[in-house]
Amino acid sequence: MDPVISILAPMILVIIGYTIGSTKIVNEGNEALVERLGKYHKKLDPGLNYIVPFLDRIAVEDTVREQVLDIPPQQAITKDNISLEVDAVVFWKVIDLREAYYAVEDVELAIQNLVTTTLRSMIGELDLSDTYSSRSDLNRQLLNQLDEATAGWGVKVTRVELQEIKPHKTILDSLETERAA
């Protein structure tokens, strides 16, 4: 065997392996963050990207499309001490993946907890009758507060909708009795 071929063959294999190992494909609608030796290095956009093997690693690849978060029914107490069950749906998207990954541990859980606590405090400022009549105002106020709170996380809350405001059955029965009288 020719000594030149025996030297070139492993070198060619190493170059091919290095090229394959450094090629990363990011799908449309996603972005990826690259860390070099444990520190943020750069963001990868959709398409074909190259990284340095052994030094760089993909820390996270996530969607930047709008996402839906369904908030499960929560107990809230109105200003006139009536217990309600309230649930909502939140539409949000990642604006800055770097901030969303490094500024908060779990963005979705943080948004869910923020919606829950904000919704409870807003319901606590209203009477029962006001909760039904001012649903659009509640949606707007909630959107403004959430958008302001999540701005530092690289997240944009695009829409919030209260799905259902439901008093307990005993409250509904007493209201029906009151209306009948």
Side-chain angles (χ1 to χ4, degrees), residues 118-119 122 138-146 160 162:
T118 306
L119 188 56
M122 290 173 67
L138 281 172
N139 288 339
R140 189 171 45 265
Q141 289 175 6
L142 194 56
L143 175 64
N144 291 337
Q145 288 184 18
L146 293 174
V160 179
L162 294 177

Side-chain angles (χ1 to χ4, degrees), residues 94-137:
V94 173
I95 300 297
D96 183 356
L97 185 59
R98 180 180 181 187
E99 290 295 318
Y101 184 69
Y102 292 112
V104 65
E105 182 71 29
D106 184 348
V107 174
E108 196 166 304
L109 180 63
I111 292 171
Q112 182 173 350
N113 288 330
L114 188 61
V115 170
T116 301
T117 55
T118 306
L119 188 56
R120 284 180 181 164
S121 69
M122 290 173 67
I123 294 291
E125 295 173 1
L126 300 172
D127 292 325
L128 177 62
S129 59
D130 294 338
T131 58
Y132 290 109
S133 63
S134 60
R135 182 177 274 203
S136 62
D137 290 338

